[in-house]
Amino acid sequence: MHIRADRDDLAEAFGRANRGAGVKTALPTLQGVRCQAEGGQLEITGSDTEVTIRTSAKVEVMEEGAFLVPGRLMTDAIRRMPEGAVTIRSQEGAIELSGNGPTFTIRLLSLEDYPKLPEPDLAGAVELDGNLLVEALSQVLVAASNDASRPILTGVLIENYEEGLRLVATDSYRLAIRNLPGLQVGDAALIPARGLKELARTVAADQVRVAIREREVVVASDRGSLSVRRI
């Protein structure tokens, strides 16, 4: 694979995807982000299987291909590059990152060992005001528990009520409720707060699409998609 793109565009895209990659995980491949270059786009995916972030960047593709690279190392290396065009070339189990200055070589992870992630299902998705959703979540997420032994309290309940949409979170000591009149999203769902916290820093936009599926909730915009497995 061989591509060229603006440093800032790449840094932003890798930074978003890396927020979905695993930090403390028994599977080293989950610390990586999967990259696929084709058709003038670099598709980047980061996932710990509970939270999955997909995003992309416009690039010049000289040679199509796919690779799996440690997310944090790749993001830091790109951010250290000087402004301007950056070239990424994969060769012999590593990628070479070069531009107007230093050259970084980063060893690749095994792409074959990366889990097969389902594509986000946005059938029947509801369009919402992304800024309003982010603001409402910020007001209820503070009440969600961090106690992993009580997983039901670590999420935010999203449900319809007579006049619109309701967000609820509690750690059994605090209770936060935010109503959003005039909005509806379908079935109720309990969504891990950890995943919802990434919305503002990844795919949030003026308009977002929300789809509640049987096993996950998907939030998508022109910046990519955030999939969070339901509790």
Side-chain angles (χ1 to χ4, degrees), residues 147-160:
D147 186 357
S149 66
R150 306 173 72 187
I152 198 170
L153 298 181
T154 64
V156 173
L157 175 65
I158 296 181
E159 62 177 356
N160 294 328

Side-chain angles (χ1 to χ4, degrees), residues 196-216:
L196 291 175
K197 288 177 180 177
E198 299 299 341
L199 175 60
R201 293 173 286 191
T202 55
V203 302
D206 290 341
Q207 294 293 318
V208 298
R209 290 171 292 158
V210 179
I212 297 179
R213 306 266 73 92
E214 181 179 357
R215 296 186 178 183
E216 66 179 8

Side-chain angles (χ1 to χ4, degrees), residues 53-153:
I53 298 171
R54 295 176 173 85
T55 189
S56 64
K58 291 183 178 180
V59 300
E60 179 185 354
V61 180
M62 280 78 79
E63 181 182 346
E64 296 184 348
F67 63 87
L68 182 68
V69 64
R72 181 173 296 179
L73 287 178
M74 187 66 173
T75 303
D76 288 346
I78 293 173
R79 288 173 175 166
R80 292 176 183 273
M81 296 294 292
E83 292 184 1
V86 171
T87 297
I88 300 175
R89 186 198 304 265
S90 60
Q91 51 186 5
E92 297 181 358
I95 62 102
E96 182 181 271
L97 179 67
S98 59
N100 300 319
T103 297
F104 293 93
T105 301
I106 302 175
R107 293 186 63 182
L108 297 176
L109 300 171
S110 173
L111 185 61
E112 290 74 18
D113 293 337
Y114 198 67
K116 303 298 182 183
L117 301 171
E119 290 297 316
D121 183 0
L122 290 167
V126 177
E127 190 165 296
L128 302 177
D129 183 322
N131 297 321
L132 181 60
L133 180 60
V134 168
E135 178 192 15
L137 284 172
S138 70
Q139 294 171 333
V140 299
L141 283 168
V142 293
S145 175
N146 295 318
D147 186 357
S149 66
R150 306 173 72 187
I152 198 170
L153 298 181

